[in-house]
Amino acid sequence: MKAGIVGLPNVGKSTLFNCLSNAKAQSANFPFCTIEPNIGVVNVPDSRLTKLEELVKPMRVQTATVDIVDIAGLVRGASKGEGLGNQFLANIRETDAIIHVIRCFDNDNIIHVDTTIDPVRDKETIDFELQLKDLETLEKRIDRVKKTARTGNKEAQKEFDVLEKVRLGIEAAMSVRAIELGDKEREEYITPLQLITDKPVLYVCNVDENSAVDGNAYVNAVKEAVKDENAEVIILAVGTEADITELESFEERQLFLEDLGLHEPGASVLIRAAYKLLKQQTYFTAGVKEVRAWTINIGDSAPQAAGVIHTDFEKGFIRAEVIAYDDFVSYGSEAKVKEAGKMRVEGKEYIVKDGDVMHFRFNV
């Protein structure tokens, strides 16, 4: 599962990517600095893992991770191949969610491809190009389905009606994710098309240091523009975050954050938001050798969660021994949880909850 960072050239995408992954992607003050997409495996900050480490005192700790992709900047005309358009669109299609970085700061020393600062216009530029590409994909499918529908095929007619509704929505400048559809309609007819604007999106307003806490007029304009999209908006002073990551000690970084009025790095907030955007959650295994956070999809069953450790665990699944995270912390150890009768035994139908501490019994 991957989240792709997108936006116009020079809005701070690669700087943000570096903050998240410490991968040091090239970042400079000219368009198309990023050509090939950079991929970073980013640790997901989780205070629960820290607490489990304190209680269990394991030999090692392993965090959950999320893949972040830094994709080349997109410009007007990208859907027709302008700039690095075709390459950009191919790269973003391969991701599962979108982190859309929007410039919300003034700085005459940093070039803007459209010369003036207007975050809503910038957002609409990206949306327009992605929507045009989706329209192209949609029209190809409509042409095929229309022929079958004309023969009286009721299923094809049903699909045609849904596709037409989406086509009209895109032509009205709506992203697919904002078009009202039934869950079954979306799952059966739209999801298989892998339309770019159907992917979940997180808007990141890149602001100056003084706007890191409360935002500014640009941020307010973005929030107003996306209010009907069912999308999250977060504020991040990307340049300042980059400065914080360069500080050597944890104490220095904390002092810097406190001076800004922040409790934690904005990058941490973004990583957790991206993890949620990808519809992922965490369960834990906790033993003296290792305390580890495992990444699963929201809604996964116990055997599916076991399969993340090893496919044999899923194939030979017998049962799961489950402790709620709050119970583990409240009683202080697995042994005390067992004594209190708070450990549950769950079977194949159990849907894993975020934060469960689990052991699996299996036989191959």
Side-chain angles (χ1 to χ4, degrees):
M1 300 288 282
K2 295 183 291 189
I5 301 177
V6 306
L8 292 174
N10 275 14
V11 296
K13 300 185 307 298
S14 293
T15 304
L16 175 60
F17 177 81
N18 288 335
C19 288
L20 299 177
S21 66
N22 295 319
K24 302 302 177 191
Q26 187 182 8
S27 176
N29 186 23
F30 55 87
F32 308 123
C33 181
T34 302
I35 297 177
E36 292 299 323
N38 298 295
I39 301 177
V41 180
V42 181
N43 291 334
V44 179
D46 194 328
S47 60
R48 297 173 301 181
L49 194 65
T50 305
K51 186 63 179 177
L52 289 173
E53 181 184 7
E54 290 174 8
L55 294 172
V56 179
K57 297 179 174 56
M59 294 168 62
R60 61 181 178 269
V61 176
Q62 179 64 52
T63 63
T65 61
V66 61
D67 288 353
I68 303 290
V69 187
D70 179 23
I71 297 171
L74 179 149
V75 293
R76 191 172 284 105
S79 59
K80 305 301 180 187
E82 291 296 321
L84 300 171
N86 290 328
Q87 180 176 331
F88 170 98
L89 294 163
N91 291 335
I92 192 172
R93 194 180 293 280
E94 293 171 4
T95 66
D96 303 288
I98 297 170
I99 300 171
H100 185 164
V101 182
I102 304 174
R103 177 171 171 173
C104 292
F105 65 88
D106 295 304
N107 187 331
D108 293 339
N109 295 320
I110 298 178
I111 300 165
H112 190 291
V113 289
D114 287 328
T115 68
T116 58
I117 310 303
D118 184 340
V120 174
R121 176 204 60 205
D122 294 352
K123 172 199 171 299
E124 289 172 350
T125 296
I126 298 287
D127 286 349
F128 181 70
E129 297 303 328
L130 299 184
Q131 288 161 4
L132 280 180
K133 201 65 181 177
D134 280 350
L135 193 59
E136 182 182 305
T137 303
L138 200 65
E139 286 175 341
K140 288 177 183 176
R141 180 63 186 167
I142 287 173
D143 286 343
R144 288 197 292 272
V145 173
K146 188 190 295 184
K147 293 174 185 175
T148 309
R150 282 174 179 163
T151 67
N153 185 300
K154 291 183 179 179
E155 185 60 32
Q157 184 60 53
K158 193 185 299 182
E159 181 178 358
F160 175 79
D161 291 343
V162 173
L163 295 175
E164 271 294 291
K165 181 178 181 179
V166 174
R167 182 183 68 80
L168 291 171
I170 293 176
E171 288 181 347
M174 295 175 71
S175 291
V176 177
R177 74 181 76 86
I179 298 171
E180 285 191 24
L181 294 171
D183 291 342
K184 188 176 180 182
E185 291 176 330
R186 190 176 293 275
E187 184 179 337
E188 288 189 11
Y189 307 128
I190 302 305
T191 301
L193 297 178
Q194 294 183 300
L195 300 176
I196 298 174
T197 66
D198 195 33
K199 298 178 189 291
V201 63
L202 169 69
Y203 292 103
V204 178
C205 293
N206 183 11
V207 300
D208 55 42
E209 185 175 309
N210 294 328
S211 305
V213 176
D214 298 320
N216 54 33
Y218 291 140
V219 174
N220 295 338
V222 171
K223 287 181 176 178
E224 178 64 23
V226 307
K227 65 182 181 182
D228 296 325
E229 283 193 40
N230 191 28
E232 187 175 353
V233 178
I234 68 172
I235 301 167
L236 202 64
V238 175
T240 304
E241 293 281 336
D243 292 339
I244 292 172
T245 59
E246 295 296 326
L247 297 174
E248 292 184 6
S249 72
F250 174 79
E251 289 75 16
E252 285 180 303
R253 291 194 289 272
Q254 283 302 115
L255 285 171
F256 199 143
L257 288 168
E258 287 171 12
D259 286 344
L260 292 174
L262 299 172
H263 301 294
E264 65 176 334
S268 296
V269 176
L270 189 149
I271 294 165
R272 286 197 297 272
Y275 195 67
K276 182 180 176 183
L277 194 68
L278 291 165
K279 297 182 180 177
Q280 296 185 318
Q281 65 179 12
T282 301
Y283 78 86
F284 302 102
T285 51
V288 291
K289 286 188 177 180
E290 181 182 70
V291 167
R292 181 164 183 160
W294 298 90
T295 298
I296 59 172
N297 296 316
I298 293 172
D300 275 357
S301 65
Q304 289 172 316
V308 173
I309 299 176
H310 197 286
T311 53
D312 285 349
F313 282 34
E314 183 172 4
K315 290 175 185 174
F317 179 89
I318 299 172
R319 66 179 184 273
E321 296 171 353
V322 183
I323 302 171
Y325 169 79
D326 288 342
D327 286 339
F328 199 108
V329 172
S330 177
Y331 289 97
S333 72
E334 183 179 315
K336 289 180 180 177
V337 169
K338 287 181 179 177
E339 287 174 15
K342 292 291 186 178
M343 177 182 280
R344 308 190 313 276
V345 176
E346 302 286 359
K348 292 182 179 180
E349 303 304 316
Y350 178 67
I351 302 301
V352 179
K353 295 179 176 62
D354 185 53
D356 279 348
V357 182
M358 307 184 76
H359 290 300
F360 299 103
R361 303 298 178 187
F362 68 102
N363 183 29
V364 177

